[in-house]
């Protein structure tokens, strides 16, 4: 029997292999070719752009996992600090099919727009993309317009947008610089036009070259699309930093406490907490103590609805309310406790952190009759209408309506991360297979037919396998159902970065909720 | 009776004289140039008078305003220090004419020693051994090498070694010009040049009543460009040949007596390894290296200067010499680059107080191009020469000297050199042994890493430094030392520092980094300034991550090595030049610097003209490829 730590380390090793695929981009050959052209890789550009020794949180790194496209979806997105300003940075990875956008690229880009907008993060786009992946254009073309819409809407909301154009940014892609507040183009690299030489020739018969149609010099001197002319990539990044330094950017949310204590317990022990088998419960307070400032967690209603721990703490100086599943199941008491706690956090303008390990709301006659739906609805009402920022961390199970009540993806948490140990689905694989088996058995018996026990066993094994695979964090992360899978030991750092980003926008609760069914 | 003294000098020696003056209850008056307005010696004086301008000719070499300053500030005595007007008879006379006390020798004594040519004749007549003087016109190949010297000179200025007859005329001209600009007198003479002699000198102290002390000898053989850098008492040569001492002292006393000397003076001799010695010159003033005599005799020579100036009598015999003292002169200069003087802000200057430090600077002092680049003298005293040398070397190692390159490493290297420790200290020391190596590659690499990690510590927020959830690139920082750029790549991870080599990070703060290198714990003190980071004794220039293309310098550009004045431009735009051909001349720090063509090519641009002031790094000319 593997220890909790061994099980977690094994999952982390698997995760590392997947991350390595994202980091490898288009592979050695294309990386070498890109370097030979004197160009920097997407992540090299980002490293140069952000402040020395600052942290960078890459978002959705597994986008496209399980699809036909390269893990990472030919785009790097993340939160980094530029000239002291937290920005949402995106960078096309030109080593992956020339940086072409596939459907997962689009979803990843739209998710990063959402994060920028909700948290009021200035956006810096490091552009070098061959445009849409044509074979999958049907998935991209129509919804893809949102990328351009979002940029100008961000601008309308006073969120600065900056495009540094390193390479191709043609056709639709030309609107990335087109819709940005500030545009820098790299001499000899940037190519920004609606139509390239062949298409122009076809359309009008005109002979034109890349440079006269969309070069940096032309755009800086003639069209005015480029505000800054960069002599090379480094210069473009220098100019990008200079632009940010002149934004006079002020974060709108309250500042964190100037002094706070580190947790008293070692983050390394977070590897020991989650059992390899999620049927075995664990105490989320063990997690909280290793994540929050000074390991101080002031519990609210500790004696009531004890399957859900609620309480106040702070992380990197930012006050937070925490809701953490303690024994998997949510009963009426837990639901009502959560609804009350969420309202309190809205009164005190305190962000909320949801630590998931739930199998869902309790079922059975007693609970249905006791109003579990009503009470669950109260919790979901509170979560859905709460206006303070939410961050969800999937530590273990996140099944059924429990996923909703704990602020699952559909409930727009500002950020949602999963540990490698997490699983999320409508229900557990065995339960789901079992339900299908019971239904099939009942159908056979209604028809008076003998039940195929062998077939049933095969069906159950198949379904279990499929649901298991589809509840794993890499799979869900690949579909952009979270913002990334993180090492449990990084939880405090990730929360710190997210809370700091969150406080770029005002943090205000509400007293306006849906009608609470009593 | 003296109650207030003006020191007609600057820097270290002004402070030195003030210290004794204060202990004697005298009030102190400084004079200062514009560039020295914020210098420590000005601040320490009870009163100070501004001498407008910077060049010595406008300031510290002008007798009239200095005498006027003394009168205006109520000083009743003038101490000239060394250099500047200290051996200027006219100045001494002007001081006396103003009714002030001259803390120095009689005017006649100054005049008779002021001309090196005349003084040698005088000394020969008095029975002091001298080296024959050569008439420039009669120098023959047999006399080579010869030394061209400014008659009024000192401190190596206006001095040239000539080893080829065809160079003689040019060097005499150059020496004469330099002498004229430095001392106001262009007279030069030649003598045989002893390439590897010993520089031995005797400290004289004489009162107005006929007592003349030979207080002890000093050896100052270790020189660069004829300027002393390491001085000690007693002399290792004399210690080896003790019979020399009475002869030396006798010659020195004779020299002083011949000119009715009063006050502190120094008779300099050139000696060979067999103990033969020749009179070089007599300095009619306090010497830069006087502290080693003070340390070994317990005397305060400045106090004695005041005493004899006031007419006091000296005891019949000087105190005996006990123990060994070594002084090193810390210069703002680059020994590896032809001793090029350095200028700039001295952010920090801290030398262990277990030794004597006579300094002219403090934290934040600006080393200007106008004066001698000596920052301080560091003097150690003890019973045993090699222990003193080692201790002084250790003090130099640990000194915090930030902002300006100095000869500190070179001095420590000399003090530890086997030849030095063996007492083999002739004037050709650097020619024989070189000037040491710059800090070794590995030490600089570690220093660069420490600088990078201290920088990271300074940028630390509550988040782990340089945290990544997907680590793709290391942190990259670059530092420059001289011409070499050192790239540092590192990552700080959950498991500690990831870097090339067996190095662990034990602790870091913006000012201190503790590394375990190959299993050995090492502490690095780090101080960062604008455009400079000092790690222990190693100074690094952080290379900016980005260069504004507008500030990039075109290839083939020749830049000013230091702030100065363009004195001559020898080429025109479009002219074809050969590698090494002089293009223009810049005068800085009282030296002429030739800017030569780096390669064969064509002068593409000339950005300066004669008489123009240039800042360090200013592009002077561009030499393009031959087309």
């Amino acid at each position: 029997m593997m220890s909790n730590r061994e099980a977690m380390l094994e999952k982390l090793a698997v995760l590392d292999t997947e991350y390595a695929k994202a980091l490898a981009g288009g592979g050695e050959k294309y990386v070498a070719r890109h370097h030979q052209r004197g160009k920097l890789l997407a992540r090299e550009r980002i490293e140069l752009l952000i402040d020395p020794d600052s942290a960078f949180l890459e978002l959705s790194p597994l986008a496209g996992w399980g699809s036909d496209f390269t893990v990472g979806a030919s785009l790097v997105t993340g939160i980094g600090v530029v000239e002291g300003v937290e920005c949402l940075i995106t960078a096309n990875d030109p080593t992956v099919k020339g940086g072409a956008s596939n459907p997962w690229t689009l979803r990843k880009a739209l998710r990063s727009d959402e994060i920028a907008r909700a948290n009021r993060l200035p956006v810096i786009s490091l552009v070098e993309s061959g445009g849409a992946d044509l074979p999958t254009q049907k998935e991209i073309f129509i919804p893809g317009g949102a990328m351009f819409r979002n940029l100008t809407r961000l601008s309308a909301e006073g969120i600065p947008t900056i495009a540094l154009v390193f390479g191709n940014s043609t056709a639709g892609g030309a609107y990335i610089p087109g819709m940005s507040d500030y545009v820098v183009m790299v001499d000899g690299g940037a190519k920004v036009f609606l139509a390239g030489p062949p298409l122009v020739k076809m359309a009008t018969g005109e002979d034109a070259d890349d440079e006269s149609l969309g070069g940096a010099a032309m755009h800086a001197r003639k069209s005015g699309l480029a505000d800054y002319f960069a002599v090379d990539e480094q210069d473009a990044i220098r100019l990008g930093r200079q632009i940010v330094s002149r934004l006079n950017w002020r974060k709108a949310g309250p500042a964190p406490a100037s002094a706070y204590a580190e947790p008293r317990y070692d983050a390394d022990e977070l590897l020991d907490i989650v059992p390899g088998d999620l049927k075995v419960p664990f105490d989320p307070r063990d997690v909280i103590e290793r994540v929050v400032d000074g390991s101080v967690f002031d519990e609210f209603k500790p004696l009531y609805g004890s399957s859900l721990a609620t309480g106040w703490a702070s992380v990197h100086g930012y006050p937070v309310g925490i809701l953490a599943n303690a024994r998997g199941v949510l009963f009426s008491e837990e639901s009502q406790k959560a609804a009350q706690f969420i309202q309190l956090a809205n009164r005190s303008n305190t962000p909320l952190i949801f630590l998931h390990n739930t199998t869902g709301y309790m079922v059975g006659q007693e609970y249905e009759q006791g109003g579990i739906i009503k009470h669950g609805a109260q919790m979901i009402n509170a979560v859905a209408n709460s206006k303070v920022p939410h961050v969800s961390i999937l530590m273990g199970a996140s099944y059924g309506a429990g996923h909703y009540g704990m602020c699952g993806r559909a409930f727009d948490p500002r950020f949602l991360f999963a540990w490698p140990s997490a699983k999320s689905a409508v229900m557990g694989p065995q339960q789901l297979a079992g339900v299908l088996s019971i239904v099939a058995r009942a159908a056979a018996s209604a028809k008076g037919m003998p039940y195929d026990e062998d077939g049933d066993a095969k069906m159950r094994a198949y379904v279990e396998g499929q649901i298991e695979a589809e509840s794993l964090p890499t799979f869900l992360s690949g579909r952009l159902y979270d913002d990334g899978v993180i090492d449990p030991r990084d939880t405090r750092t990730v929360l710190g970065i997210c809370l700091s980003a969150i406080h770029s926008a005002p943090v205000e609760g509400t007293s306006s909720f849906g009608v609470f069914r009593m | 009776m003296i109650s207030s003294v003006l020191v007609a000098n600057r820097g270290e020696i002004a402070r030195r004289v003030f210290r004794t003056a204060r202990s004697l209850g005298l009030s102190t008056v400084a004079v200062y140039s514009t560039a020295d307005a914020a210098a420590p010696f000005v601040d320490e004086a009870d009163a100070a008078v501004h001498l407008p301008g910077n060049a010595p000719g406008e300031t510290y070499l002008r007798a009239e305003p200095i005498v006027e300053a003394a009168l205006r500030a109520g000083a009743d005595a003038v101490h000239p220090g060394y250099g500047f007007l200290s051996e200027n008879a006219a100045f001494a006379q002007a001081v006396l004419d103003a009714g002030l006390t001259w803390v120095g020798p009689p005017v006649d004594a100054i005049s008779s020693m002021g001309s090196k040519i005349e003084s040698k004749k005088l000394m020969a007549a008095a029975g002091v051994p001298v080296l024959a003087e050569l008439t420039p016109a009669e120098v023959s190949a047999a006399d080579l090498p010869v030394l061209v010297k400014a008659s009024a000179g000192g401190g190596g200025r206006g001095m040239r070694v000539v080893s080829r007859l065809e160079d003689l005329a040019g060097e005499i001209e150059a020496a004469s010009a330099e002498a004229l600009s430095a001392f106001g007198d262009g007279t030069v003479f030649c003598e045989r040049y002893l390439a590897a002699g010993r520089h031995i000198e005797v400290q004289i102290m004489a009162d107005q009543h006929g007592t003349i002390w030979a207080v002890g000898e000093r050896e100052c053989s270790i020189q660069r460009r004829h300027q002393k850098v390491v001085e000690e008492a007693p002399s290792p040569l004399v210690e080896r040949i003790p019979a020399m001492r009475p002869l030396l002292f006798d010659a020195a006393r004779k020299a002083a007596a011949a000119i009715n000397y009063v006050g502190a003076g120094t008779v300099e001799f050139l000696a060979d390894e067999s103990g033969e010695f020749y009179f070089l010159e007599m300095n009619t003033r306090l010497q830069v290296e006087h502290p080693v005599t003070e340390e070994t005799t317990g005397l305060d020579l400045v106090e004695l200067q005041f005493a004899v100036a006031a007419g006091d009598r000296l005891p019949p015999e000087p105190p005996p010499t006990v123990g060994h003292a070594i002084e090193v002169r810390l210069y703002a200069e680059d020994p590896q680059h032809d001793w090029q003087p350095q200028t700039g802000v001295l952010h920090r200057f801290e030398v262990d107080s277990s030794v004597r430090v006579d300094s002219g600077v403090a934290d934040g002092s600006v080393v200007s191009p106008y004066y001698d680049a000596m920052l301080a003298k560091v003097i150690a005293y003890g019973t045993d020469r090699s222990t003193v040398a080692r201790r002084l070397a250790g003090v130099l190692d640990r000194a915090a000297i930030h902002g300006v390159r100095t000869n500190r490493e070179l001095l420590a290297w000399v003090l530890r050199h086997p030849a030095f420790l063996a007492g083999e200290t002739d004037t050709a020391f650097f020619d024989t042994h070189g000037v040491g190596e710059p800090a070794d590659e590995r030490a600089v690499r570690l220093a660069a890493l420490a600088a990078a990690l201290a920088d990271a510590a300074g940028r630390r927020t509550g988040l782990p430094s340089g945290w990544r959830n997907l680590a793709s690139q290391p942190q990259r920082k670059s530092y420059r030392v001289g011409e070499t750029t050192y790239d540092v790549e590192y990552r700080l991870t959950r498991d500690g520092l990831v870097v090339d080599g067996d190095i662990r990070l034990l602790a870091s703060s913006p000012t201190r980094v503790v590394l375990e290198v190959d299993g050995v714990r090492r502490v690095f003190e780090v101080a960062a300034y604008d455009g400079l980071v000092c790690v222990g004794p190693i100074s690094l220039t952080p290379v900016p991550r980005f260069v504004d293309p507008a500030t990039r310098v075109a290839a083939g550009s020749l830049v000013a090595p230091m702030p100065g004045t363009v004195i001559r431009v020898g080429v025109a735009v479009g002219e074809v030049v050969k590698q090494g051909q002089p293009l223009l001349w810049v005068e800085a720090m009282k030296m002429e610097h030739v800017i030569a063509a780096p390669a064969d090519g064509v002068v593409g641009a000339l950005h300066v003209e004669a008489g123009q002031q240039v800042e360090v790094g200013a592009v002077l000319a561009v030499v393009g490829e031959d087309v």
Side-chain angles (χ1 to χ4, degrees), chain B residues 386-432:
Chain B
S386 31
T387 310
V388 171
R390 277 195 295 268
R391 195 166 81 228
L392 189 51
V395 166
L396 290 170
D397 284 348
R398 289 190 302 275
I401 305 168
H402 298 164
V404 180
R405 177 150 180 63
T406 70
N407 60 343
R408 173 245 300 262
E409 290 91 345
L410 172 75
L411 295 173
W413 173 82
V414 169
L415 292 169
R416 293 190 175 107
H417 198 284
F420 177 83
L421 292 172
E424 293 159 15
T425 52
D426 63 40
T427 52
F429 190 87
F430 293 125
D431 297 331
T432 313

Side-chain angles (χ1 to χ4, degrees), chain B residues 4 17 54 138 158 169 194 198 228 257 351 405 435 451 461 490 499 523 532 613:
Chain B
S4 173
V17 175
N54 285 319
E138 292 167 11
L194 297 187
R198 296 272 196 150
K228 302 159 189 170
V351 182
R405 177 150 180 63
V435 291
T461 60
Y490 64 94
V499 70
V523 178
L532 169 76
Q613 280 280 335

Side-chain angles (χ1 to χ4, degrees), chain A residues 52-53, chain B residues 452 455-456 459 475-479 486-488 490:
Chain A
D53 302 300
Chain B
D455 177 55
R459 297 172 187 274
Q475 295 288 328
R476 292 193 171 98
K477 287 173 189 169
S478 296
Y479 297 89
Y486 295 85
D487 297 318
V488 182
Y490 64 94

Side-chain angles (χ1 to χ4, degrees), chain A residues 128-388:
Chain A
E128 180 166 18
S129 164
D133 174 66
L134 293 177
T136 52
Q137 66 82 28
K138 65 182 189 298
E139 308 283 343
I140 303 167
F141 169 62
I142 291 175
M147 286 171 56
F148 316 122
R149 178 205 68 193
N150 287 349
L151 273 176
T152 188
R153 282 189 180 167
L154 287 168
S155 179
E157 290 182 23
I159 299 169
T161 53
I162 299 161
L164 311 182
V165 186
F166 295 90
N168 280 323
S169 181
T170 56
Y175 290 101
I176 296 284
M179 306 314 294
S180 293
D181 291 351
Y182 293 89
V183 176
V184 179
M185 291 192 197
V186 177
D187 188 30
K191 223 191 276 180
V192 186
F193 40 60
L194 293 182
L199 190 50
V200 168
K201 180 78 177 164
M202 287 296 294
T204 67
E206 186 188 20
D207 284 314
D209 60 15
D210 281 349
E211 196 56 33
S212 67
L213 289 172
M218 187 284 284
H219 281 306
R221 295 197 171 90
K222 294 210 170 121
S223 77
L225 178 60
D227 305 308
Y228 299 85
F229 174 82
V231 299
D232 56 25
E233 296 208 0
Q234 313 249 342
D235 194 33
I237 293 167
R238 177 186 71 86
L239 287 164
R241 289 178 56 83
Q242 179 188 306
I243 291 164
V244 175
S245 74
R246 295 293 185 183
L247 293 174
N248 300 326
W249 189 247
R250 298 278 180 282
K251 293 173 72 161
S258 56
Y260 53 83
E262 289 296 305
R264 286 189 289 130
Y265 304 101
D266 193 350
D268 189 63
E269 293 160 5
L270 287 166
L271 298 180
D272 298 317
I273 295 172
V274 183
D277 180 357
L278 289 182
K279 285 202 206 82
V280 182
F282 61 89
D283 189 340
R285 293 170 194 85
D286 291 340
V287 174
I288 293 167
E289 283 176 342
R290 284 160 182 82
V291 169
V292 303
D293 296 345
S295 301
V296 177
F297 180 52
D298 294 341
E299 237 184 296
F300 172 77
K301 263 186 169 27
L303 305 178
Y304 184 84
S306 57
S307 269
L308 181 78
T310 56
W312 309 106
S314 70
V315 179
H316 284 285
Y318 292 102
V320 291
I322 298 174
L323 298 93
N325 304 112
R327 265 192 312 280
V329 189
L330 292 160
F331 298 90
S332 290
E333 289 85 344
E334 281 75 13
S335 306
Q336 289 179 310
K337 176 177 168 179
Q340 183 187 359
F341 186 71
I342 291 166
Q343 290 180 70
L344 291 172
N346 274 272
R347 283 296 164 88
S348 61
N349 303 318
T350 308
L352 289 170
I353 294 170
F354 296 81
L355 299 176
H356 295 227
N357 183 29
T358 177
T359 50
Y361 291 96
M362 193 61 196
V363 295
Q365 287 177 50
E366 181 189 344
Y367 303 101
E368 299 287 6
Q369 288 168 14
I372 185 70
I373 294 175
K374 210 170 74 175
H375 296 128
Q378 285 174 356
M379 179 171 171
I380 293 169
N381 177 349
V383 166
N385 290 299
S386 164
K387 290 285 183 288
V388 293

Side-chain angles (χ1 to χ4, degrees), chain A residues 19 22-23 43-44 47-48 50-58 61 231-232 234-235 237-238 241 260 316 487 489-490 493-494 496-497, chain B residues 452 455-457 459 461-477 490 492 494-495 545-550 552:
Chain A
Y19 279 168
L23 289 170
R43 286 181 182 82
E44 287 172 341
E47 291 285 343
L48 206 51
I50 61 176
D51 292 350
D53 302 300
S54 63
F56 183 71
L57 173 62
E58 225 184 284
V231 299
D232 56 25
Q234 313 249 342
D235 194 33
I237 293 167
R238 177 186 71 86
R241 289 178 56 83
Y260 53 83
H316 284 285
D487 186 319
R489 294 169 291 186
D490 285 333
T493 298
V494 170
I497 294 171
Chain B
D455 177 55
R459 297 172 187 274
T461 60
L463 298 170
S465 182
W467 181 87
R468 301 285 181 273
N469 49 340
L470 275 77
S472 64
Q473 316 285 324
Q475 295 288 328
R476 292 193 171 98
K477 287 173 189 169
Y490 64 94
L492 290 165
R494 189 186 334 275
D495 302 317
R545 288 166 102 189
F546 304 100
V547 180
D548 184 339
R552 281 181 203 166

Side-chain angles (χ1 to χ4, degrees), chain B residues 61 152 176-187:
Chain B
L61 283 175
S176 177
E178 211 174 296
L180 187 65
S181 115
F183 313 110
D185 177 356
T187 313

